[in-house]
Amino acid sequence: ERSRDRFLSDAEIRAIWGATNACSQVARSFIRILLLTGQRRDEVRMMVWDELDIEKGDWDLPASRTKNKGRHLVPLTSRVIDELSILKVHYEALGIGQSKYVFTVTGENPYAGLRRLKENLDRDSGIEDWVFHDFRRTFSTSLSRIGIPPRIRRACLNHSTKDGLDKVYDLYDLHDEKREALSAWAGYLMRTVGEIDSDNVVSMTTG
């Protein structure tokens, strides 16, 4: 995660999202969930079904799989759950519905076709000067644009939100606030790409 200042404009988001229509189902859902959740590329790519609680709408990312070695509870918006449902139907049709991985081609290993996927998205979107980690910067920048406070943005990114004694005494996990922020982002993103999403329940500004 080298330092960069690149984030995607709304037009670029729309172009890349649209380009996923030409991708395989696994690649399409991977890119869309990567954008919707704002989490790190390989944290999403290696997601397993056992980490997901669809009824509660949560992704429980264990400390062993996070960069900062801290457990991260990621709220799942309805748009993410829709993509997960589509994947389940896809895998059942292929006879690999028992795979532990959410994103897989073989049913045995996590999705690994990132280089070709990037080339295809570059070609079909007309946008080339980006890397997958720029999605995460775009996510954070967009949260700022729609009025999400810095502490909540950091919590959504699984960055440290507490200093000093707060690390010891303030055990509140900001989960409800993260859910509201991710719902706001889902609504913004769906409007940007021309879809309608039921999570768009938060009043937002783009100033």
Side-chain angles (χ1 to χ4, degrees):
E1 295 181 9
R2 59 194 177 91
S3 178
R4 287 168 56 92
D5 60 6
R6 176 78 164 98
F7 66 93
L8 302 175
S9 69
D10 286 356
E12 289 172 326
I13 292 172
R14 189 159 47 247
I16 292 171
W17 184 280
T20 65
N21 287 319
C23 295
S24 69
Q25 183 59 64
V26 175
R28 178 163 58 249
S29 291
F30 168 69
I31 290 296
R32 292 182 173 187
I33 290 177
L34 195 62
L35 277 165
L36 283 158
T37 63
Q39 302 311 301
R40 293 183 174 87
R41 182 195 68 186
D42 285 347
E43 291 171 353
V44 174
R45 184 178 66 86
M46 299 184 70
M47 181 190 295
V48 297
W49 292 107
D50 284 350
E51 294 171 352
L52 304 176
D53 187 328
I54 301 300
E55 288 190 9
K56 289 184 178 179
D58 286 326
W59 170 22
D60 194 347
L61 188 55
S64 61
R65 289 218 307 111
T66 65
K67 182 181 179 182
N68 67 1
K69 303 304 178 186
R71 176 191 175 214
H72 184 32
L73 196 60
V74 183
L76 301 175
T77 62
S78 65
R79 191 60 183 79
V80 172
I81 292 172
D82 286 345
E83 288 294 333
L84 295 171
S85 298
I86 291 168
L87 279 174
K88 277 187 173 290
V89 172
H90 174 72
Y91 293 141
E92 288 170 3
L94 294 178
I96 57 174
Q98 301 304 311
S99 175
K100 74 175 186 177
Y101 292 108
V102 173
F103 304 101
T104 183
V105 174
T106 64
E108 298 179 357
N109 303 300
Y111 177 70
L114 296 181
R115 181 174 180 178
R116 176 167 291 185
L117 172 56
K118 177 64 165 58
E119 291 172 349
N120 291 342
L121 291 173
D122 286 354
R123 180 195 65 222
D124 294 337
S125 71
I127 313 297
E128 297 182 356
D129 59 332
W130 61 278
V131 298
F132 287 111
H133 193 69
D134 293 338
F135 286 177
R136 189 163 158 85
R137 190 174 299 101
T138 300
F139 169 75
S140 182
T141 301
S142 297
L143 289 184
S144 181
R145 289 176 64 195
I146 62 178
I148 305 301
R151 188 183 180 199
I152 309 306
R153 296 200 304 271
R154 291 195 296 271
C156 289
L157 292 166
N158 199 22
H159 288 169
S160 176
T161 63
K162 302 168 188 175
D163 298 315
L165 290 176
D166 280 348
K167 291 183 178 180
V168 178
Y169 292 104
D170 182 359
L171 303 182
Y172 183 55
D173 63 4
L174 298 170
H175 190 57
D176 290 343
E177 289 81 357
K178 288 193 294 184
R179 189 175 299 282
E180 291 178 2
L182 281 159
S183 292
W185 163 239
Y188 181 87
L189 179 58
M190 292 304 97
R191 284 210 310 270
T192 297
V193 301
E195 293 188 18
I196 298 173
D197 185 75
S198 61
D199 283 321
N200 187 17
V201 296
V202 178
S203 176
M204 296 174 288
T205 61
T206 57

